[in-house]
Amino acid sequence: MNKGRFIVFEGIDGSGKSTQLKLLGRRLRERNLKVYETAEPTDQPIGSLVRRILRGELQCVDPALAALFAADRLQHLADPDTGLLKLIKEGVHVICDRYYFSSYAYQSVRAPMEWIIQANALSAQMLKPDLNLFLDVPVKVCLQRLSASRGNLELYEAEANLAAVREKYFEAFSRLKQEEAVQIIDGRGSPEEVAEAVWQAVGRLFETDDPDQ
Ligand code: ADP
Ligand code: TYD
């Protein structure tokens, strides 16, 4: 049996990741492929703890939060029943909203990137994405989209911080260009236009797939 692909959407908050994830999921299912849509932080116990910290309900020092993101990721990957490694081995295609590049970018605004990369080394060893898709949208546009869709902005959503995160993403892509597959997608168009650009980037990864296998 063919292994499943692993496609990750990256981008700053409001860049359209979850919208594009759903559109790609629909497109793959229309081709009768087995698809699992997921996101980090997860809705499992460690991810739920992370979300409470992001909402400001609990306090946590930066290095501890970085370690919690890494721990949530390891559970997401290696859970014996529901983990991504198991699904991919069974031939399911996994599309994921955020993975370790999110940690490299967000957590390295206030800590050395090298440390964050080290903290996620086990995940990178266990599962590298077949493709990281970075949806590139200007910070101001992202903030307009977010404030139109919800009231309260979270911990990382201040304008200056998102601008710094965007810079860190590009620093991480450049630093890891030998070992990571990354494609930058212009995310400023309509959802349908961006979905077309996403398909141009990922479609070839599914060309050889026989859904009946
Ligand atoms: P993310 O998951 O990256 O935070 P979302 O997909 O949730 O982003 O999109 C954030 C907001 O912007 C949502 O209200 C969504 O409907 C809207 N949105 C998503 N994609 C686009 C787009 N291409 N153009 C305009 N608005 C968009
Ligand atoms: P998410 O729910 O994807 O937010 P959004 O849909 O608005 O993009 O992620 C929640 C927040 O967690 C977001 O601000 C990015 C941050 N984050 C990190 O700082 N490090 C990480 O490793 C991950 C996965 C997310």
Side-chain angles (χ1 to χ4, degrees), residues 117-128:
I117 292 174
Q118 285 306 320
N120 284 279
L122 204 49
S123 294
Q125 194 183 313
M126 289 198 285
L127 184 64
K128 279 198 169 59

Side-chain angles (χ1 to χ4, degrees), residues 109-176:
V109 170
R110 291 191 277 187
M113 190 180 290
E114 191 52 40
W115 189 87
I116 307 300
I117 292 174
Q118 285 306 320
N120 284 279
L122 204 49
S123 294
Q125 194 183 313
M126 289 198 285
L127 184 64
K128 279 198 169 59
D130 291 290
L131 192 56
N132 295 281
L133 289 164
F134 179 77
L135 301 183
D136 197 16
V137 177
V139 174
K140 279 193 183 345
V141 176
C142 288
L143 288 173
Q144 278 160 8
R145 288 182 184 177
L146 288 177
S147 56
S149 63
R150 57 183 154 95
N152 298 336
L153 295 188
E154 284 184 338
L155 182 63
Y156 291 120
E157 294 176 344
E159 182 170 351
N161 185 64
L162 286 186
V165 169
R166 184 173 176 278
E167 292 303 310
K168 289 292 180 187
Y169 263 117
F170 284 107
E171 186 184 326
F173 294 149
S174 152
R175 202 170 168 138
L176 297 168

